[in-house]
Amino acid sequence: MTCVWFRATLHLCRLRLASGCGTRRKYDLFSPPVQNGARERTLSALRAVAGDEGVCVGAALREQHGRDESVHRCRPPDVVVFPRCVEEVSALAKICHHHRLPIIPFGTGTGLEGGVGALKGGVCFSLRKMDQVLDLHQEDFDVTVEPGVTRKGLNSYLRDTGLWFPVDPGADASLCGMAATSASGTNAVRYGTMRENVLNLEVVLADGTVFCTAGRGRRPRKTSAGYNLTNLFVGSEGTLGLLTKATLRLYGLPESTVSAVCSFPSVQAAVDSTVQVLQAGVPIARIEFLDDVMIDACNRFNSLSYPIMPTLFLEFHGSSRSLEEQVTITEEITRENSGSDFSWAEDEETRAQLWKARHDAWYAALALRPGCKAYSTDVCVPLSRLPQIIVETKQDLITNNLTGPIAGHVGDGNFHCIMVLNPEDPEEVKRVHEFTERLARRALAMDGTCTGEHGVGLGKRALLREELGPLAMEVMQGLKATLDPKNLMNPGKVL
Amino acid sequence: MTARVLVGVKRVIDYAVKIRVKPDNTGVVTDGVKHSMNPFCEIAVEEAVRLKEKKLVQEVVAVSCGPQQVQETIRTALAMGADRGIHVEVSGKDYDSLGPLQVSKILAALAKKEEASLIILGKQAIDDDCNQTGQMTAALLDWPQGTFASELVIEGDKVKVVREIDGGLETIKLNMPVVVTADLRLNTPRYATLPNIMKAKKKKIANMKPGDLGVDMTSRVEVLRVDEPPQRQAGVKVESVEDLVSKLKEAGRI
């Protein structure tokens, strides 16, 4: 470690430790059979804040809060608490801080990287009771929400206003959870990811400090005031603080929407079309790629009959005149790349049917091998490298006899291989693991990232080190040490 | 081409809100609670607007009965594509006791006044679940009715309606003028977009009172009491089948 700055920060942390918290000892309050008065005292302290119904030690509830939708095994916390307001979150955090108990924020449990596993036990903060939509400002296109509000819940609330929040990951996730993992979705190519759409966050640190990253109540559309704390916490995956409010950027609902499906003779042709459509400046709203294996799975799962070839699902937003223009340019490009004629959908029901195939991709992949589990890779590369990486990845899958249908947001250079594997077969598990490492390194070699939207969580910490390099990692560790010197916030994740 | 469609829209507590009963058990808490258009009314408006887009009807008129706030609901219908609105002012005690009978009398009077040949309503409101207004309106007008419609096709001066019934689907043909009530699968309603919301501000909403239509608002129904459903009790775990059987016997279930 040669970074002077880092050493200075480490020294600062040691000072804080010495002044505040006594010796560092391994303090496991909750492991039976050491039932002592300390456990009961801590539980009473928690109950005094959150009420009797707000503190749960039942096994079923703890297991529910120890897993998400990833392949990582369940790691239940020792206690689950259900705070009802930010004051309770702060008071509960102070208790955990005093007793050195890990704090694990929990939204909807729909993460894909094992982010909620309580590796060292501790207290899971389930934020679902804080479920209000606060402060909608229609003319300013912003809204503030609590962590229990999900993206579909918000859009339903907004439905009479003509506004929507377009970031749409597969699950109906908590918006604050989406901020914590810097989530993205099929609309990112036009509307951006959480990084571009969070204006302000209310954060509770491990010691109970409550503050707002952009100043309380502030929601200008842009600012150059001070360090960008908002985006420091976006993507921090619960390792720097709990997010108890998010102020989000809203957009007007598109006047008209048109969707289309187009198949191609080769992966290269499909991906080349994607790159060219974007270079032509078409403000395409969604451009999703499904390879032949994926389309076949979707056909079987939904009883459809799309041709079993690399396919693009496209969606255009705008006024009817602008749509005509967008579609004409896109059709020219796909035709030049030997794409098929478009299958169209204009009204809500037909479009929903068309997109169902894409949205059900996960389940369709699982249905290919019943009884197996699925793991989704998540690399992202600059657009120009996309054709090469997909072609090489498909070759890798075939060579290594792996089931990995590909679906992805090619408009962002991001795609997912849905690896379907038998978790009881150690040989296959090993092959899949090695494949995903090769894929991540392939992406890194092409100036890309090992995780486009799912986050680092538990499984990609080593890859993060490779991606960022030791110096950037030191800066990140320094920040972590400053904001959470006792390492109580979701320990064992990200760094 | 059929001239005019009348669509009834009701302002109800939003479906996503957790309902709470007032402490005096006279009703549910409505102050400060989010309200929106009844979901089945949204489907009814969508169907009417689609008929207009297909040029099968000339004008869509959205009607709502209630206090000042229902104008928001009418504006939403206008933003979805209705041409104009009618606000029948009902407030205070009359609004508290407003039910399907009074609303259907109002709709029947309006249908005659506006010379409508098609009335589309939601099959029921999500606050009272009455499922009566469409049927009563048809009876008062002596018009045929196609309720629980999952499909609606205009064929000349007749209307073909596919109804969702217990055994499956029933297809009937009705002579216009008719009353149709919309069921869930009739269509997927559009969201109001900003440009349409702006345009809707310029569309007209006429105001009138039930008296202007000669409607008597007296209610024959009195709500005595409103209670929450009983709290769910914790279950009991049993260790063996014998245990289960004896517990069921104790509870008088077998």
Side-chain angles (χ1 to χ4, degrees), chain A residues 131-132 141 155-163 251-256 347-349, chain B residues 14-16 18 34-37 42 50 76 186-195 197:
Chain A
D131 62 357
Q132 294 305 298
F141 288 70
N155 281 329
S156 167
Y157 184 95
L158 295 171
R159 69 190 185 282
D160 294 333
T161 60
L163 300 171
Y251 295 77
L253 278 166
E255 247 191 87
S256 310
D347 61 87
E348 179 79 39
E349 289 88 358
Chain B
D14 188 89
Y15 75 87
K18 287 192 199 83
K34 182 167 203 273
H35 284 66
S36 52
M37 191 190 294
E42 286 179 351
R50 286 190 189 186
T76 305
L186 181 58
N187 60 48
T188 309
R190 67 196 64 190
Y191 287 137
T193 62
L194 277 176
I197 292 176

mmCIF file of all heavy atoms in Angstrom, chain A residues 131-132 141 155-163 251-256 347-349, chain B residues 14-16 18 34-37 42 50 76 186-195 197:
data_model
loop_
_atom_site.group_PDB
_atom_site.id
_atom_site.type_symbol
_atom_site.label_atom_id
_atom_site.label_comp_id
_atom_site.label_asym_id
_atom_site.label_seq_id
_atom_site.Cartn_x
_atom_site.Cartn_y
_atom_site.Cartn_z
ATOM 1 N N ASP A 131 -43.578 2.767 3.654
ATOM 2 C CA ASP A 131 -44.019 2.538 2.279
ATOM 3 C C ASP A 131 -44.824 3.697 1.696
ATOM 4 O O ASP A 131 -45.737 3.487 0.909
ATOM 5 C CB ASP A 131 -44.842 1.256 2.208
ATOM 6 C CG ASP A 131 -46.094 1.354 3.068
ATOM 7 O OD1 ASP A 131 -46.280 2.388 3.752
ATOM 8 O OD2 ASP A 131 -46.886 0.402 3.061
ATOM 9 N N GLN A 132 -44.490 4.909 2.081
ATOM 10 C CA GLN A 132 -45.260 6.036 1.565
ATOM 11 C C GLN A 132 -44.575 6.699 0.378
ATOM 12 O O GLN A 132 -43.357 6.804 0.318
ATOM 13 C CB GLN A 132 -45.434 7.105 2.664
ATOM 14 C CG GLN A 132 -46.294 6.621 3.819
ATOM 15 C CD GLN A 132 -47.647 6.140 3.329
ATOM 16 O OE1 GLN A 132 -48.409 6.911 2.761
ATOM 17 N NE2 GLN A 132 -47.942 4.862 3.530
ATOM 18 N N PHE A 141 -41.191 17.323 -12.167
ATOM 19 C CA PHE A 141 -40.828 15.957 -12.561
ATOM 20 C C PHE A 141 -39.983 15.275 -11.487
ATOM 21 O O PHE A 141 -38.967 14.638 -11.793
ATOM 22 C CB PHE A 141 -40.031 15.982 -13.891
ATOM 23 C CG PHE A 141 -40.874 16.303 -15.090
ATOM 24 C CD1 PHE A 141 -41.404 17.562 -15.280
ATOM 25 C CD2 PHE A 141 -41.124 15.336 -16.052
ATOM 26 C CE1 PHE A 141 -42.189 17.858 -16.386
ATOM 27 C CE2 PHE A 141 -41.907 15.628 -17.181
ATOM 28 C CZ PHE A 141 -42.432 16.880 -17.335
ATOM 29 N N ASN A 155 -45.298 3.632 -10.129
ATOM 30 C CA ASN A 155 -45.909 3.928 -11.423
ATOM 31 C C ASN A 155 -47.422 3.820 -11.374
ATOM 32 O O ASN A 155 -48.122 4.569 -12.059
ATOM 33 C CB ASN A 155 -45.322 3.033 -12.517
ATOM 34 C CG ASN A 155 -43.961 3.528 -12.975
ATOM 35 O OD1 ASN A 155 -43.687 4.726 -12.956
ATOM 36 N ND2 ASN A 155 -43.094 2.623 -13.375
ATOM 37 N N SER A 156 -47.931 2.926 -10.533
ATOM 38 C CA SER A 156 -49.376 2.853 -10.372
ATOM 39 C C SER A 156 -49.886 4.119 -9.685
ATOM 40 O O SER A 156 -50.911 4.693 -10.074
ATOM 41 C CB SER A 156 -49.730 1.616 -9.557
ATOM 42 O OG SER A 156 -51.062 1.693 -9.140
ATOM 43 N N TYR A 157 -49.147 4.591 -8.685
ATOM 44 C CA TYR A 157 -49.520 5.828 -7.980
ATOM 45 C C TYR A 157 -49.547 7.005 -8.953
ATOM 46 O O TYR A 157 -50.386 7.892 -8.855
ATOM 47 C CB TYR A 157 -48.494 6.084 -6.875
ATOM 48 C CG TYR A 157 -48.789 7.266 -6.000
ATOM 49 C CD1 TYR A 157 -49.465 7.118 -4.797
ATOM 50 C CD2 TYR A 157 -48.385 8.544 -6.363
ATOM 51 C CE1 TYR A 157 -49.728 8.206 -3.974
ATOM 52 C CE2 TYR A 157 -48.640 9.634 -5.557
ATOM 53 C CZ TYR A 157 -49.315 9.459 -4.365
ATOM 54 O OH TYR A 157 -49.573 10.537 -3.559
ATOM 55 N N LEU A 158 -48.603 6.992 -9.922
ATOM 56 C CA LEU A 158 -48.453 8.138 -10.824
ATOM 57 C C LEU A 158 -49.374 8.092 -12.028
ATOM 58 O O LEU A 158 -49.376 9.005 -12.844
ATOM 59 C CB LEU A 158 -47.003 8.194 -11.337
ATOM 60 C CG LEU A 158 -45.918 8.472 -10.318
ATOM 61 C CD1 LEU A 158 -44.546 8.275 -10.966
ATOM 62 C CD2 LEU A 158 -46.035 9.879 -9.778
ATOM 63 N N ARG A 159 -50.189 7.006 -12.146
ATOM 64 C CA ARG A 159 -50.804 6.757 -13.446
ATOM 65 C C ARG A 159 -51.734 7.852 -13.946
ATOM 66 O O ARG A 159 -51.935 7.964 -15.145
ATOM 67 C CB ARG A 159 -51.528 5.411 -13.459
ATOM 68 C CG ARG A 159 -52.763 5.333 -12.605
ATOM 69 C CD ARG A 159 -53.239 3.870 -12.524
ATOM 70 N NE ARG A 159 -54.475 3.726 -11.817
ATOM 71 C CZ ARG A 159 -54.604 3.759 -10.502
ATOM 72 N NH1 ARG A 159 -53.544 3.934 -9.751
ATOM 73 N NH2 ARG A 159 -55.788 3.614 -9.932
ATOM 74 N N ASP A 160 -52.291 8.679 -13.068
ATOM 75 C CA ASP A 160 -53.169 9.736 -13.577
ATOM 76 C C ASP A 160 -52.417 11.026 -13.889
ATOM 77 O O ASP A 160 -53.024 12.002 -14.315
ATOM 78 C CB ASP A 160 -54.246 10.066 -12.546
ATOM 79 C CG ASP A 160 -55.184 8.907 -12.336
ATOM 80 O OD1 ASP A 160 -55.335 8.113 -13.286
ATOM 81 O OD2 ASP A 160 -55.738 8.790 -11.238
ATOM 82 N N THR A 161 -51.104 11.042 -13.637
ATOM 83 C CA THR A 161 -50.377 12.310 -13.760
ATOM 84 C C THR A 161 -49.679 12.450 -15.100
ATOM 85 O O THR A 161 -49.155 13.514 -15.415
ATOM 86 C CB THR A 161 -49.292 12.407 -12.680
ATOM 87 O OG1 THR A 161 -48.385 11.311 -12.865
ATOM 88 C CG2 THR A 161 -49.888 12.332 -11.290
ATOM 89 N N GLY A 162 -49.629 11.374 -15.877
ATOM 90 C CA GLY A 162 -48.894 11.445 -17.130
ATOM 91 C C GLY A 162 -47.396 11.262 -16.942
ATOM 92 O O GLY A 162 -46.616 11.403 -17.881
ATOM 93 N N LEU A 163 -46.978 10.936 -15.726
ATOM 94 C CA LEU A 163 -45.546 10.763 -15.449
ATOM 95 C C LEU A 163 -45.251 9.308 -15.129
ATOM 96 O O LEU A 163 -46.130 8.559 -14.729
ATOM 97 C CB LEU A 163 -45.135 11.625 -14.247
ATOM 98 C CG LEU A 163 -45.354 13.124 -14.385
ATOM 99 C CD1 LEU A 163 -45.110 13.828 -13.060
ATOM 100 C CD2 LEU A 163 -44.445 13.696 -15.456
ATOM 101 N N TYR A 251 -40.276 11.082 -15.704
ATOM 102 C CA TYR A 251 -40.351 11.446 -17.117
ATOM 103 C C TYR A 251 -41.808 11.439 -17.550
ATOM 104 O O TYR A 251 -42.646 10.794 -16.923
ATOM 105 C CB TYR A 251 -39.577 10.427 -17.961
ATOM 106 C CG TYR A 251 -38.089 10.423 -17.693
ATOM 107 C CD1 TYR A 251 -37.580 9.811 -16.557
ATOM 108 C CD2 TYR A 251 -37.201 11.052 -18.562
ATOM 109 C CE1 TYR A 251 -36.218 9.823 -16.288
ATOM 110 C CE2 TYR A 251 -35.842 11.057 -18.309
ATOM 111 C CZ TYR A 251 -35.354 10.445 -17.168
ATOM 112 O OH TYR A 251 -34.015 10.464 -16.908
ATOM 113 N N GLY A 252 -42.095 12.132 -18.657
ATOM 114 C CA GLY A 252 -43.442 12.074 -19.192
ATOM 115 C C GLY A 252 -43.664 10.743 -19.880
ATOM 116 O O GLY A 252 -42.761 10.222 -20.540
ATOM 117 N N LEU A 253 -44.858 10.190 -19.729
ATOM 118 C CA LEU A 253 -45.184 8.948 -20.436
ATOM 119 C C LEU A 253 -45.124 9.210 -21.938
ATOM 120 O O LEU A 253 -45.519 10.273 -22.397
ATOM 121 C CB LEU A 253 -46.596 8.486 -20.071
ATOM 122 C CG LEU A 253 -46.736 7.724 -18.778
ATOM 123 C CD1 LEU A 253 -48.200 7.654 -18.393
ATOM 124 C CD2 LEU A 253 -46.175 6.315 -18.917
ATOM 125 N N PRO A 254 -44.621 8.245 -22.709
ATOM 126 C CA PRO A 254 -44.557 8.479 -24.153
ATOM 127 C C PRO A 254 -45.953 8.629 -24.737
ATOM 128 O O PRO A 254 -46.878 7.941 -24.323
ATOM 129 C CB PRO A 254 -43.871 7.221 -24.688
ATOM 130 C CG PRO A 254 -43.947 6.221 -23.616
ATOM 131 C CD PRO A 254 -44.095 6.928 -22.323
ATOM 132 N N GLU A 255 -46.096 9.534 -25.696
ATOM 133 C CA GLU A 255 -47.389 9.752 -26.332
ATOM 134 C C GLU A 255 -47.862 8.508 -27.050
ATOM 135 O O GLU A 255 -49.016 8.133 -26.983
ATOM 136 C CB GLU A 255 -47.245 10.869 -27.356
ATOM 137 C CG GLU A 255 -48.004 12.109 -27.002
ATOM 138 C CD GLU A 255 -48.038 13.075 -28.156
ATOM 139 O OE1 GLU A 255 -48.940 12.944 -28.996
ATOM 140 O OE2 GLU A 255 -47.137 13.934 -28.208
ATOM 141 N N SER A 256 -46.943 7.940 -27.802
ATOM 142 C CA SER A 256 -47.278 6.694 -28.483
ATOM 143 C C SER A 256 -46.117 5.734 -28.345
ATOM 144 O O SER A 256 -44.976 6.146 -28.192
ATOM 145 C CB SER A 256 -47.499 6.927 -29.976
ATOM 146 O OG SER A 256 -48.366 7.985 -30.183
ATOM 147 N N ASP A 347 -51.091 -1.712 -30.071
ATOM 148 C CA ASP A 347 -51.946 -1.496 -28.906
ATOM 149 C C ASP A 347 -51.375 -2.232 -27.693
ATOM 150 O O ASP A 347 -50.582 -3.154 -27.817
ATOM 151 C CB ASP A 347 -53.381 -1.950 -29.193
ATOM 152 C CG ASP A 347 -53.448 -3.407 -29.516
ATOM 153 O OD1 ASP A 347 -53.566 -4.226 -28.577
ATOM 154 O OD2 ASP A 347 -53.339 -3.739 -30.707
ATOM 155 N N GLU A 348 -51.832 -1.787 -26.537
ATOM 156 C CA GLU A 348 -51.287 -2.233 -25.251
ATOM 157 C C GLU A 348 -51.246 -3.749 -25.118
ATOM 158 O O GLU A 348 -50.240 -4.327 -24.693
ATOM 159 C CB GLU A 348 -52.163 -1.619 -24.147
ATOM 160 C CG GLU A 348 -51.779 -1.974 -22.735
ATOM 161 C CD GLU A 348 -50.612 -1.166 -22.226
ATOM 162 O OE1 GLU A 348 -50.550 0.037 -22.536
ATOM 163 O OE2 GLU A 348 -49.762 -1.741 -21.529
ATOM 164 N N GLU A 349 -52.347 -4.424 -25.494
ATOM 165 C CA GLU A 349 -52.419 -5.882 -25.278
ATOM 166 C C GLU A 349 -51.407 -6.625 -26.148
ATOM 167 O O GLU A 349 -50.705 -7.518 -25.669
ATOM 168 C CB GLU A 349 -53.825 -6.417 -25.595
ATOM 169 C CG GLU A 349 -54.898 -6.013 -24.593
ATOM 170 C CD GLU A 349 -55.523 -4.686 -24.949
ATOM 171 O OE1 GLU A 349 -55.084 -4.084 -25.937
ATOM 172 O OE2 GLU A 349 -56.442 -4.256 -24.245
ATOM 173 N N ASP B 14 -58.162 4.839 -3.949
ATOM 174 C CA ASP B 14 -57.232 4.110 -4.821
ATOM 175 C C ASP B 14 -57.054 2.661 -4.350
ATOM 176 O O ASP B 14 -56.999 2.386 -3.153
ATOM 177 C CB ASP B 14 -55.879 4.832 -4.826
ATOM 178 C CG ASP B 14 -54.935 4.253 -5.848
ATOM 179 O OD1 ASP B 14 -54.962 4.720 -6.999
ATOM 180 O OD2 ASP B 14 -54.181 3.321 -5.504
ATOM 181 N N TYR B 15 -56.966 1.744 -5.338
ATOM 182 C CA TYR B 15 -56.928 0.326 -4.972
ATOM 183 C C TYR B 15 -55.713 -0.051 -4.140
ATOM 184 O O TYR B 15 -55.725 -1.031 -3.415
ATOM 185 C CB TYR B 15 -56.995 -0.562 -6.230
ATOM 186 C CG TYR B 15 -55.706 -0.619 -7.019
ATOM 187 C CD1 TYR B 15 -54.709 -1.543 -6.709
ATOM 188 C CD2 TYR B 15 -55.476 0.242 -8.082
ATOM 189 C CE1 TYR B 15 -53.530 -1.596 -7.424
ATOM 190 C CE2 TYR B 15 -54.305 0.196 -8.799
ATOM 191 C CZ TYR B 15 -53.330 -0.723 -8.473
ATOM 192 O OH TYR B 15 -52.161 -0.755 -9.188
ATOM 193 N N ALA B 16 -54.626 0.746 -4.219
ATOM 194 C CA ALA B 16 -53.396 0.378 -3.505
ATOM 195 C C ALA B 16 -53.394 0.830 -2.052
ATOM 196 O O ALA B 16 -52.503 0.476 -1.291
ATOM 197 C CB ALA B 16 -52.201 0.965 -4.238
ATOM 198 N N LYS B 18 -54.271 1.149 1.923
ATOM 199 C CA LYS B 18 -54.756 0.257 2.993
ATOM 200 C C LYS B 18 -55.954 0.944 3.646
ATOM 201 O O LYS B 18 -55.828 2.003 4.252
ATOM 202 C CB LYS B 18 -53.652 0.062 4.042
ATOM 203 C CG LYS B 18 -52.518 -0.821 3.592
ATOM 204 C CD LYS B 18 -51.618 -1.208 4.774
ATOM 205 C CE LYS B 18 -50.263 -1.676 4.298
ATOM 206 N NZ LYS B 18 -49.302 -0.592 4.001
ATOM 207 N N LYS B 34 -55.569 8.815 -0.814
ATOM 208 C CA LYS B 34 -55.488 8.933 -2.270
ATOM 209 C C LYS B 34 -56.717 8.325 -2.939
ATOM 210 O O LYS B 34 -57.117 7.210 -2.632
ATOM 211 C CB LYS B 34 -54.232 8.219 -2.790
ATOM 212 C CG LYS B 34 -54.077 8.350 -4.304
ATOM 213 C CD LYS B 34 -52.713 7.940 -4.798
ATOM 214 C CE LYS B 34 -52.419 8.595 -6.128
ATOM 215 N NZ LYS B 34 -52.911 7.835 -7.279
ATOM 216 N N HIS B 35 -57.326 9.100 -3.834
ATOM 217 C CA HIS B 35 -58.475 8.627 -4.601
ATOM 218 C C HIS B 35 -58.101 8.559 -6.072
ATOM 219 O O HIS B 35 -57.212 9.269 -6.532
ATOM 220 C CB HIS B 35 -59.662 9.591 -4.449
ATOM 221 C CG HIS B 35 -60.368 9.471 -3.142
ATOM 222 N ND1 HIS B 35 -59.788 9.793 -1.946
ATOM 223 C CD2 HIS B 35 -61.623 9.039 -2.845
ATOM 224 C CE1 HIS B 35 -60.644 9.585 -0.963
ATOM 225 N NE2 HIS B 35 -61.766 9.135 -1.472
ATOM 226 N N SER B 36 -58.775 7.705 -6.819
ATOM 227 C CA SER B 36 -58.566 7.675 -8.271
ATOM 228 C C SER B 36 -59.808 7.097 -8.934
ATOM 229 O O SER B 36 -60.777 6.760 -8.261
ATOM 230 C CB SER B 36 -57.327 6.868 -8.624
ATOM 231 O OG SER B 36 -57.379 5.614 -8.011
ATOM 232 N N MET B 37 -59.765 6.982 -10.265
ATOM 233 C CA MET B 37 -60.918 6.461 -10.994
ATOM 234 C C MET B 37 -61.039 4.971 -10.725
ATOM 235 O O MET B 37 -60.039 4.249 -10.724
ATOM 236 C CB MET B 37 -60.752 6.715 -12.492
ATOM 237 C CG MET B 37 -62.037 6.438 -13.279
ATOM 238 S SD MET B 37 -61.830 6.433 -15.054
ATOM 239 C CE MET B 37 -61.422 8.110 -15.397
ATOM 240 N N GLU B 42 -62.189 2.836 -15.703
ATOM 241 C CA GLU B 42 -61.085 3.101 -16.637
ATOM 242 C C GLU B 42 -61.241 2.229 -17.875
ATOM 243 O O GLU B 42 -61.050 2.676 -19.007
ATOM 244 C CB GLU B 42 -59.728 2.769 -15.987
ATOM 245 C CG GLU B 42 -59.274 3.759 -14.946
ATOM 246 C CD GLU B 42 -57.935 3.372 -14.317
ATOM 247 O OE1 GLU B 42 -57.441 2.257 -14.559
ATOM 248 O OE2 GLU B 42 -57.419 4.205 -13.560
ATOM 249 N N ARG B 50 -61.762 3.748 -27.725
ATOM 250 C CA ARG B 50 -61.359 2.914 -28.873
ATOM 251 C C ARG B 50 -62.447 2.902 -29.941
ATOM 252 O O ARG B 50 -62.160 2.925 -31.140
ATOM 253 C CB ARG B 50 -61.072 1.481 -28.418
ATOM 254 C CG ARG B 50 -59.771 1.368 -27.671
ATOM 255 C CD ARG B 50 -59.388 -0.072 -27.442
ATOM 256 N NE ARG B 50 -58.255 -0.163 -26.536
ATOM 257 C CZ ARG B 50 -57.622 -1.279 -26.234
ATOM 258 N NH1 ARG B 50 -58.015 -2.433 -26.756
ATOM 259 N NH2 ARG B 50 -56.601 -1.280 -25.400
ATOM 260 N N THR B 76 -59.477 13.043 -15.874
ATOM 261 C CA THR B 76 -58.700 11.866 -16.282
ATOM 262 C C THR B 76 -59.364 11.191 -17.469
ATOM 263 O O THR B 76 -58.696 10.797 -18.433
ATOM 264 C CB THR B 76 -58.574 10.868 -15.123
ATOM 265 O OG1 THR B 76 -58.028 11.533 -13.991
ATOM 266 C CG2 THR B 76 -57.680 9.698 -15.494
ATOM 267 N N LEU B 186 -61.903 -6.830 -20.821
ATOM 268 C CA LEU B 186 -62.398 -6.136 -22.001
ATOM 269 C C LEU B 186 -61.248 -5.439 -22.733
ATOM 270 O O LEU B 186 -61.148 -5.487 -23.957
ATOM 271 C CB LEU B 186 -63.481 -5.120 -21.606
ATOM 272 C CG LEU B 186 -64.143 -4.317 -22.717
ATOM 273 C CD1 LEU B 186 -64.790 -5.226 -23.735
ATOM 274 C CD2 LEU B 186 -65.178 -3.368 -22.132
ATOM 275 N N ASN B 187 -60.375 -4.782 -21.991
ATOM 276 C CA ASN B 187 -59.205 -4.146 -22.608
ATOM 277 C C ASN B 187 -58.201 -3.775 -21.527
ATOM 278 O O ASN B 187 -58.455 -3.988 -20.335
ATOM 279 C CB ASN B 187 -59.634 -2.881 -23.372
ATOM 280 C CG ASN B 187 -60.287 -1.846 -22.452
ATOM 281 O OD1 ASN B 187 -59.780 -1.524 -21.395
ATOM 282 N ND2 ASN B 187 -61.422 -1.331 -22.878
ATOM 283 N N THR B 188 -57.042 -3.264 -21.936
ATOM 284 C CA THR B 188 -56.076 -2.722 -20.983
ATOM 285 C C THR B 188 -56.078 -1.208 -21.164
ATOM 286 O O THR B 188 -55.657 -0.718 -22.218
ATOM 287 C CB THR B 188 -54.663 -3.264 -21.254
ATOM 288 O OG1 THR B 188 -54.722 -4.671 -21.332
ATOM 289 C CG2 THR B 188 -53.705 -2.844 -20.164
ATOM 290 N N PRO B 189 -56.555 -0.449 -20.168
ATOM 291 C CA PRO B 189 -56.703 0.995 -20.362
ATOM 292 C C PRO B 189 -55.359 1.691 -20.552
ATOM 293 O O PRO B 189 -54.350 1.272 -19.999
ATOM 294 C CB PRO B 189 -57.355 1.480 -19.061
ATOM 295 C CG PRO B 189 -57.654 0.293 -18.263
ATOM 296 C CD PRO B 189 -56.960 -0.879 -18.834
ATOM 297 N N ARG B 190 -55.357 2.748 -21.349
ATOM 298 C CA ARG B 190 -54.145 3.525 -21.573
ATOM 299 C C ARG B 190 -53.895 4.436 -20.362
ATOM 300 O O ARG B 190 -54.823 4.770 -19.619
ATOM 301 C CB ARG B 190 -54.310 4.395 -22.824
ATOM 302 C CG ARG B 190 -55.364 5.500 -22.676
ATOM 303 C CD ARG B 190 -55.772 6.071 -24.015
ATOM 304 N NE ARG B 190 -56.423 5.075 -24.842
ATOM 305 C CZ ARG B 190 -56.717 5.230 -26.114
ATOM 306 N NH1 ARG B 190 -56.392 6.350 -26.727
ATOM 307 N NH2 ARG B 190 -57.305 4.279 -26.794
ATOM 308 N N TYR B 191 -52.626 4.819 -20.171
ATOM 309 C CA TYR B 191 -52.301 5.834 -19.190
ATOM 310 C C TYR B 191 -52.489 7.190 -19.851
ATOM 311 O O TYR B 191 -52.200 7.348 -21.029
ATOM 312 C CB TYR B 191 -50.846 5.721 -18.745
ATOM 313 C CG TYR B 191 -50.564 4.548 -17.845
ATOM 314 C CD1 TYR B 191 -49.426 3.770 -18.028
ATOM 315 C CD2 TYR B 191 -51.418 4.227 -16.798
ATOM 316 C CE1 TYR B 191 -49.146 2.701 -17.198
ATOM 317 C CE2 TYR B 191 -51.151 3.153 -15.966
ATOM 318 C CZ TYR B 191 -50.009 2.391 -16.169
ATOM 319 O OH TYR B 191 -49.714 1.344 -15.351
ATOM 320 N N ALA B 192 -52.934 8.181 -19.087
ATOM 321 C CA ALA B 192 -53.033 9.537 -19.631
ATOM 322 C C ALA B 192 -51.623 10.093 -19.793
ATOM 323 O O ALA B 192 -50.830 10.041 -18.862
ATOM 324 C CB ALA B 192 -53.831 10.409 -18.663
ATOM 325 N N THR B 193 -51.295 10.605 -20.981
ATOM 326 C CA THR B 193 -49.966 11.185 -21.198
ATOM 327 C C THR B 193 -50.031 12.686 -20.949
ATOM 328 O O THR B 193 -51.107 13.278 -20.995
ATOM 329 C CB THR B 193 -49.491 10.952 -22.635
ATOM 330 O OG1 THR B 193 -50.403 11.603 -23.519
ATOM 331 C CG2 THR B 193 -49.407 9.485 -22.951
ATOM 332 N N LEU B 194 -48.882 13.291 -20.702
ATOM 333 C CA LEU B 194 -48.849 14.724 -20.385
ATOM 334 C C LEU B 194 -49.513 15.583 -21.460
ATOM 335 O O LEU B 194 -50.344 16.436 -21.139
ATOM 336 C CB LEU B 194 -47.411 15.189 -20.155
ATOM 337 C CG LEU B 194 -46.868 14.931 -18.751
ATOM 338 C CD1 LEU B 194 -45.414 15.347 -18.673
ATOM 339 C CD2 LEU B 194 -47.687 15.678 -17.719
ATOM 340 N N PRO B 195 -49.165 15.405 -22.750
ATOM 341 C CA PRO B 195 -49.819 16.249 -23.757
ATOM 342 C C PRO B 195 -51.337 16.120 -23.715
ATOM 343 O O PRO B 195 -52.052 17.113 -23.852
ATOM 344 C CB PRO B 195 -49.255 15.718 -25.089
ATOM 345 C CG PRO B 195 -48.011 15.009 -24.739
ATOM 346 C CD PRO B 195 -48.174 14.501 -23.356
ATOM 347 N N ILE B 197 -53.148 15.298 -21.075
ATOM 348 C CA ILE B 197 -53.634 15.939 -19.857
ATOM 349 C C ILE B 197 -53.746 17.442 -20.092
ATOM 350 O O ILE B 197 -54.718 18.082 -19.664
ATOM 351 C CB ILE B 197 -52.712 15.633 -18.667
ATOM 352 C CG1 ILE B 197 -52.803 14.153 -18.298
ATOM 353 C CG2 ILE B 197 -53.060 16.491 -17.461
ATOM 354 C CD1 ILE B 197 -51.869 13.719 -17.199
#
